[in-house]
Amino acid sequence: MKTTLLAAALALTSAGAVQADEPHKLVTILTAPEAQTQLMAMVLTMNAVAQGAEAKILLCGPAGDIALKAAPETATAGQPPKGASPQGLLKTMIAENGVQVQVCAIYLPGMGAGPEVLIDGVTAAAPDAMAKELIDDDTTVMSF
């Protein structure tokens, strides 16, 4: 009996250790049109990544514009206090951290455009796959 209890305790401890080693998942959903809100979403996501989170970003509505090659000035202009822009931080997270960035599935069709208008590293979301990410027990969702 003691051997069975000890084996069960060790199995639970081992499972917890494996789970603790897995990165926490974060999905940032950004819809806000304001540059300051967009930048803060990027700042918080980037800081979560720096602390070990595995992040994905979903851009919908007006926020999808920050993923455009021909993005509006609000997406590319530096903001105080450090002169960073929403698109600049987005590109940094894609290039340096491998953050997966997607626009909502209806964003490109809604503007009558294809994926060629998006910056490198940004794709259209698959609703079923994104829904699975959102409901995963280990996922935190930030929405702006």
Side-chain angles (χ1 to χ4, degrees):
M1 178 79 166
K2 286 183 184 178
T3 306
T4 304
L5 290 175
L6 180 60
L10 286 174
L12 288 174
T13 303
S14 297
V18 169
Q19 196 171 30
D21 289 342
E22 294 177 13
H24 186 81
K25 292 187 257 177
L26 171 68
V27 175
T28 300
I29 301 173
L30 180 57
T31 61
E34 301 87 12
Q36 190 176 52
T37 304
Q38 292 174 351
L39 181 59
M40 196 64 222
M42 297 301 106
V43 167
L44 291 174
T45 302
M46 191 163 69
N47 277 274
V49 169
Q51 294 179 38
E54 178 186 293
K56 292 184 179 184
I57 299 172
L58 179 63
L59 304 169
C60 297
D65 294 351
I66 71 174
L68 295 173
K69 289 177 182 173
E73 185 180 351
T74 55
T76 59
Q79 301 286 322
K82 296 188 177 186
S85 72
Q87 190 183 72
L89 286 186
L90 185 73
K91 286 179 173 181
T92 297
M93 285 188 283
I94 292 168
E96 295 180 11
N97 306 108
V99 171
Q100 184 181 18
V101 180
Q102 299 174 329
V103 293
C104 284
I106 60 175
Y107 176 77
L108 291 172
M111 62 186 296
E116 68 280 352
V117 301
L118 300 173
I119 60 174
D120 289 341
V122 179
T123 61
D128 58 336
M130 183 53 70
K132 187 176 184 324
E133 291 285 336
L134 294 172
I135 64 170
D136 192 312
D137 289 339
D138 295 333
T139 300
T140 298
V141 177
M142 285 195 305
S143 183
F144 297 86

